PDB file of all heavy atoms in Angstrom:
ATOM      1  N   GLU A 365      21.348 -19.671  24.651  1.00 96.00           N
ATOM      2  CA  GLU A 365      20.850 -18.780  25.664  1.00 96.00           C
ATOM      3  C   GLU A 365      21.985 -17.738  25.982  1.00 96.00           C
ATOM      4  O   GLU A 365      22.917 -18.076  26.726  1.00 96.00           O
ATOM      5  CB  GLU A 365      20.449 -19.499  26.974  1.00 96.00           C
ATOM      6  CG  GLU A 365      19.272 -20.380  26.813  1.00 96.00           C
ATOM      7  CD  GLU A 365      19.583 -21.729  26.013  1.00 96.00           C
ATOM      8  OE1 GLU A 365      20.661 -22.236  26.216  1.00 96.00           O
ATOM      9  OE2 GLU A 365      18.725 -22.045  25.166  1.00 96.00           O
ATOM     10  N   VAL A 366      21.861 -16.575  25.492  1.00 96.00           N
ATOM     11  CA  VAL A 366      22.830 -15.492  25.748  1.00 96.00           C
ATOM     12  C   VAL A 366      22.743 -15.173  27.255  1.00 96.00           C
ATOM     13  O   VAL A 366      23.776 -14.964  27.926  1.00 96.00           O
ATOM     14  CB  VAL A 366      22.619 -14.298  24.844  1.00 96.00           C
ATOM     15  CG1 VAL A 366      23.571 -13.182  25.242  1.00 96.00           C
ATOM     16  CG2 VAL A 366      22.732 -14.642  23.418  1.00 96.00           C
ATOM     17  N   GLU A 367      21.538 -15.093  27.721  1.00 96.00           N
ATOM     18  CA  GLU A 367      21.259 -14.810  29.175  1.00 96.00           C
ATOM     19  C   GLU A 367      21.173 -16.188  29.804  1.00 96.00           C
ATOM     20  O   GLU A 367      20.083 -16.741  29.917  1.00 96.00           O
ATOM     21  CB  GLU A 367      20.021 -13.983  29.283  1.00 96.00           C
ATOM     22  CG  GLU A 367      19.874 -13.301  30.631  1.00 96.00           C
ATOM     23  CD  GLU A 367      18.695 -12.309  30.632  1.00 96.00           C
ATOM     24  OE1 GLU A 367      17.990 -12.193  29.618  1.00 96.00           O
ATOM     25  OE2 GLU A 367      18.514 -11.632  31.654  1.00 96.00           O
ATOM     26  N   ASP A 368      22.290 -16.698  30.295  1.00 94.00           N
ATOM     27  CA  ASP A 368      22.274 -18.098  30.803  1.00 94.00           C
ATOM     28  C   ASP A 368      22.291 -18.196  32.355  1.00 94.00           C
ATOM     29  O   ASP A 368      22.600 -19.268  32.874  1.00 94.00           O
ATOM     30  CB  ASP A 368      23.521 -18.830  30.221  1.00 94.00           C
ATOM     31  CG  ASP A 368      24.838 -18.201  30.560  1.00 94.00           C
ATOM     32  OD1 ASP A 368      24.811 -17.156  31.253  1.00 94.00           O
ATOM     33  OD2 ASP A 368      25.854 -18.761  30.132  1.00 94.00           O
ATOM     34  N   ARG A 369      22.021 -17.082  32.992  1.00 94.00           N
ATOM     35  CA  ARG A 369      21.904 -17.062  34.470  1.00 94.00           C
ATOM     36  C   ARG A 369      20.658 -16.356  34.872  1.00 94.00           C
ATOM     37  O   ARG A 369      20.302 -15.296  34.338  1.00 94.00           O
ATOM     38  CB  ARG A 369      23.137 -16.406  35.143  1.00 94.00           C
ATOM     39  CG  ARG A 369      24.435 -17.083  34.876  1.00 94.00           C
ATOM     40  CD  ARG A 369      24.489 -18.387  35.632  1.00 94.00           C
ATOM     41  NE  ARG A 369      25.625 -19.232  35.228  1.00 94.00           N
ATOM     42  CZ  ARG A 369      25.912 -20.449  35.724  1.00 94.00           C
ATOM     43  NH1 ARG A 369      25.132 -20.927  36.624  1.00 94.00           N
ATOM     44  NH2 ARG A 369      26.902 -21.104  35.312  1.00 94.00           N
ATOM     45  N   ASP A 370      19.906 -16.937  35.878  1.00 94.00           N
ATOM     46  CA  ASP A 370      18.660 -16.295  36.301  1.00 94.00           C
ATOM     47  C   ASP A 370      19.030 -15.255  37.425  1.00 94.00           C
ATOM     48  O   ASP A 370      20.238 -15.024  37.692  1.00 94.00           O
ATOM     49  CB  ASP A 370      17.702 -17.346  36.866  1.00 94.00           C
ATOM     50  CG  ASP A 370      18.167 -18.139  37.949  1.00 94.00           C
ATOM     51  OD1 ASP A 370      19.060 -17.676  38.747  1.00 94.00           O
ATOM     52  OD2 ASP A 370      17.677 -19.274  38.194  1.00 94.00           O
ATOM     53  N   ARG A 371      18.091 -14.643  38.039  1.00 94.00           N
ATOM     54  CA  ARG A 371      18.344 -13.547  38.969  1.00 94.00           C
ATOM     55  C   ARG A 371      18.993 -14.016  40.267  1.00 94.00           C
ATOM     56  O   ARG A 371      19.529 -13.190  41.005  1.00 94.00           O
ATOM     57  CB  ARG A 371      17.020 -12.827  39.283  1.00 94.00           C
ATOM     58  CG  ARG A 371      15.980 -13.647  39.990  1.00 94.00           C
ATOM     59  CD  ARG A 371      14.720 -12.861  40.161  1.00 94.00           C
ATOM     60  NE  ARG A 371      13.668 -13.639  40.820  1.00 94.00           N
ATOM     61  CZ  ARG A 371      12.459 -13.150  41.109  1.00 94.00           C
ATOM     62  NH1 ARG A 371      12.133 -11.929  40.735  1.00 94.00           N
ATOM     63  NH2 ARG A 371      11.554 -13.909  41.693  1.00 94.00           N
ATOM     64  N   THR A 372      18.934 -15.335  40.551  1.00 94.00           N
ATOM     65  CA  THR A 372      19.660 -15.883  41.747  1.00 94.00           C
ATOM     66  C   THR A 372      20.972 -16.412  41.394  1.00 94.00           C
ATOM     67  O   THR A 372      21.708 -16.946  42.282  1.00 94.00           O
ATOM     68  CB  THR A 372      18.774 -17.006  42.367  1.00 94.00           C
ATOM     69  OG1 THR A 372      18.721 -18.112  41.455  1.00 94.00           O
ATOM     70  CG2 THR A 372      17.389 -16.532  42.641  1.00 94.00           C
ATOM     71  N   GLY A 373      21.424 -16.313  40.133  1.00 94.00           N
ATOM     72  CA  GLY A 373      22.713 -16.856  39.679  1.00 94.00           C
ATOM     73  C   GLY A 373      22.672 -18.266  39.227  1.00 94.00           C
ATOM     74  O   GLY A 373      23.687 -18.816  38.914  1.00 94.00           O
ATOM     75  N   GLY A 374      21.480 -18.904  39.238  1.00 94.00           N
ATOM     76  CA  GLY A 374      21.392 -20.248  38.804  1.00 94.00           C
ATOM     77  C   GLY A 374      21.488 -20.438  37.292  1.00 94.00           C
ATOM     78  O   GLY A 374      21.336 -19.523  36.528  1.00 94.00           O
ATOM     79  N   ASP A 375      21.809 -21.668  36.859  1.00 94.00           N
ATOM     80  CA  ASP A 375      21.935 -21.984  35.471  1.00 94.00           C
ATOM     81  C   ASP A 375      20.636 -21.816  34.726  1.00 94.00           C
ATOM     82  O   ASP A 375      19.627 -22.460  35.127  1.00 94.00           O
ATOM     83  CB  ASP A 375      22.461 -23.395  35.294  1.00 94.00           C
ATOM     84  CG  ASP A 375      22.830 -23.742  33.851  1.00 94.00           C
ATOM     85  OD1 ASP A 375      22.811 -22.823  33.042  1.00 94.00           O
ATOM     86  OD2 ASP A 375      23.076 -24.979  33.623  1.00 94.00           O
ATOM     87  N   ALA A 376      20.595 -21.021  33.629  1.00 94.00           N
ATOM     88  CA  ALA A 376      19.387 -20.763  32.898  1.00 94.00           C
ATOM     89  C   ALA A 376      19.462 -21.319  31.485  1.00 94.00           C
ATOM     90  O   ALA A 376      18.583 -21.075  30.671  1.00 94.00           O
ATOM     91  CB  ALA A 376      19.062 -19.299  32.854  1.00 94.00           C
ATOM     92  N   ALA A 377      20.517 -22.082  31.169  1.00 94.00           N
ATOM     93  CA  ALA A 377      20.611 -22.723  29.875  1.00 94.00           C
ATOM     94  C   ALA A 377      19.766 -23.983  29.780  1.00 94.00           C
ATOM     95  O   ALA A 377      19.525 -24.650  30.786  1.00 94.00           O
ATOM     96  CB  ALA A 377      22.055 -23.058  29.580  1.00 94.00           C
ATOM     97  N   TYR A 378      19.177 -24.246  28.637  1.00 94.00           N
ATOM     98  CA  TYR A 378      18.402 -25.403  28.474  1.00 94.00           C
ATOM     99  C   TYR A 378      18.321 -25.852  27.020  1.00 94.00           C
ATOM    100  O   TYR A 378      18.770 -25.046  26.148  1.00 94.00           O
ATOM    101  CB  TYR A 378      16.921 -25.130  28.975  1.00 94.00           C
ATOM    102  CG  TYR A 378      16.090 -24.123  28.235  1.00 94.00           C
ATOM    103  CD1 TYR A 378      15.152 -24.483  27.307  1.00 94.00           C
ATOM    104  CD2 TYR A 378      16.325 -22.747  28.442  1.00 94.00           C
ATOM    105  CE1 TYR A 378      14.436 -23.540  26.614  1.00 94.00           C
ATOM    106  CE2 TYR A 378      15.613 -21.786  27.740  1.00 94.00           C
ATOM    107  CZ  TYR A 378      14.627 -22.194  26.858  1.00 94.00           C
ATOM    108  OH  TYR A 378      13.952 -21.268  26.197  1.00 94.00           O
ATOM    109  N   HIS A 379      17.867 -27.058  26.765  1.00 93.00           N
ATOM    110  CA  HIS A 379      17.773 -27.571  25.379  1.00 93.00           C
ATOM    111  C   HIS A 379      16.527 -27.102  24.660  1.00 93.00           C
ATOM    112  O   HIS A 379      15.463 -27.348  25.175  1.00 93.00           O
ATOM    113  CB  HIS A 379      17.829 -29.098  25.392  1.00 93.00           C
ATOM    114  CG  HIS A 379      19.027 -29.692  26.093  1.00 93.00           C
ATOM    115  ND1 HIS A 379      20.350 -29.577  25.570  1.00 93.00           N
ATOM    116  CD2 HIS A 379      19.202 -30.318  27.286  1.00 93.00           C
ATOM    117  CE1 HIS A 379      21.168 -30.131  26.352  1.00 93.00           C
ATOM    118  NE2 HIS A 379      20.554 -30.627  27.393  1.00 93.00           N
ATOM    119  N   ASN A 380      16.684 -26.440  23.562  1.00 93.00           N
ATOM    120  CA  ASN A 380      15.553 -25.932  22.869  1.00 93.00           C
ATOM    121  C   ASN A 380      15.765 -25.840  21.319  1.00 93.00           C
ATOM    122  O   ASN A 380      15.012 -25.121  20.660  1.00 93.00           O
ATOM    123  CB  ASN A 380      15.037 -24.538  23.398  1.00 93.00           C
ATOM    124  CG  ASN A 380      16.221 -23.521  23.359  1.00 93.00           C
ATOM    125  OD1 ASN A 380      17.348 -23.851  23.060  1.00 93.00           O
ATOM    126  ND2 ASN A 380      15.841 -22.342  23.584  1.00 93.00           N
ATOM    127  N   ASP A 381      16.720 -26.571  20.793  1.00 97.00           N
ATOM    128  CA  ASP A 381      16.913 -26.598  19.338  1.00 97.00           C
ATOM    129  C   ASP A 381      15.661 -27.103  18.677  1.00 97.00           C
ATOM    130  O   ASP A 381      14.964 -27.972  19.227  1.00 97.00           O
ATOM    131  CB  ASP A 381      18.110 -27.514  18.970  1.00 97.00           C
ATOM    132  CG  ASP A 381      19.424 -26.908  19.391  1.00 97.00           C
ATOM    133  OD1 ASP A 381      19.477 -25.825  19.815  1.00 97.00           O
ATOM    134  OD2 ASP A 381      20.433 -27.627  19.347  1.00 97.00           O
ATOM    135  N   THR A 382      15.329 -26.508  17.525  1.00 97.00           N
ATOM    136  CA  THR A 382      14.020 -26.728  16.942  1.00 97.00           C
ATOM    137  C   THR A 382      14.130 -27.046  15.448  1.00 97.00           C
ATOM    138  O   THR A 382      14.906 -26.387  14.717  1.00 97.00           O
ATOM    139  CB  THR A 382      13.107 -25.502  17.127  1.00 97.00           C
ATOM    140  OG1 THR A 382      12.987 -25.198  18.514  1.00 97.00           O
ATOM    141  CG2 THR A 382      11.708 -25.752  16.578  1.00 97.00           C
ATOM    142  N   LEU A 383      13.279 -28.017  15.015  1.00 98.00           N
ATOM    143  CA  LEU A 383      13.184 -28.368  13.563  1.00 98.00           C
ATOM    144  C   LEU A 383      11.713 -28.084  13.168  1.00 98.00           C
ATOM    145  O   LEU A 383      10.799 -28.541  13.822  1.00 98.00           O
ATOM    146  CB  LEU A 383      13.546 -29.797  13.326  1.00 98.00           C
ATOM    147  CG  LEU A 383      13.411 -30.267  11.878  1.00 98.00           C
ATOM    148  CD1 LEU A 383      14.530 -29.675  11.021  1.00 98.00           C
ATOM    149  CD2 LEU A 383      13.477 -31.835  11.813  1.00 98.00           C
ATOM    150  N   LEU A 384      11.523 -27.348  12.047  1.00 98.00           N
ATOM    151  CA  LEU A 384      10.164 -27.011  11.553  1.00 98.00           C
ATOM    152  C   LEU A 384      10.058 -27.438  10.113  1.00 98.00           C
ATOM    153  O   LEU A 384      10.932 -27.202   9.297  1.00 98.00           O
ATOM    154  CB  LEU A 384       9.885 -25.506  11.740  1.00 98.00           C
ATOM    155  CG  LEU A 384       9.913 -24.940  13.108  1.00 98.00           C
ATOM    156  CD1 LEU A 384       9.781 -23.440  13.048  1.00 98.00           C
ATOM    157  CD2 LEU A 384       8.770 -25.506  13.946  1.00 98.00           C
ATOM    158  N   VAL A 385       8.926 -28.051   9.793  1.00 98.00           N
ATOM    159  CA  VAL A 385       8.597 -28.366   8.394  1.00 98.00           C
ATOM    160  C   VAL A 385       7.223 -27.771   8.127  1.00 98.00           C
ATOM    161  O   VAL A 385       6.278 -28.014   8.946  1.00 98.00           O
ATOM    162  CB  VAL A 385       8.592 -29.828   8.142  1.00 98.00           C
ATOM    163  CG1 VAL A 385       8.220 -30.219   6.673  1.00 98.00           C
ATOM    164  CG2 VAL A 385       9.899 -30.516   8.503  1.00 98.00           C
ATOM    165  N   GLN A 386       7.071 -27.025   7.039  1.00 98.00           N
ATOM    166  CA  GLN A 386       5.804 -26.340   6.794  1.00 98.00           C
ATOM    167  C   GLN A 386       5.452 -26.342   5.324  1.00 98.00           C
ATOM    168  O   GLN A 386       6.335 -26.082   4.486  1.00 98.00           O
ATOM    169  CB  GLN A 386       5.901 -24.895   7.316  1.00 98.00           C
ATOM    170  CG  GLN A 386       4.601 -24.108   7.121  1.00 98.00           C
ATOM    171  CD  GLN A 386       4.683 -22.767   7.824  1.00 98.00           C
ATOM    172  OE1 GLN A 386       4.381 -22.651   9.027  1.00 98.00           O
ATOM    173  NE2 GLN A 386       5.088 -21.736   7.146  1.00 98.00           N
TER     174      GLN A 386
END
Side-chain angles (χ1 to χ4, degrees):
E365 294 72 40
V366 178
E367 199 169 1
D368 59 0
R369 295 290 169 181
D370 61 26
R371 62 183 180 183
T372 65
D375 186 10
Y378 65 102
H379 300 292
N380 57 350
D381 290 351
T382 304
L383 179 72
L384 298 174
V385 182
Q386 181 172 276

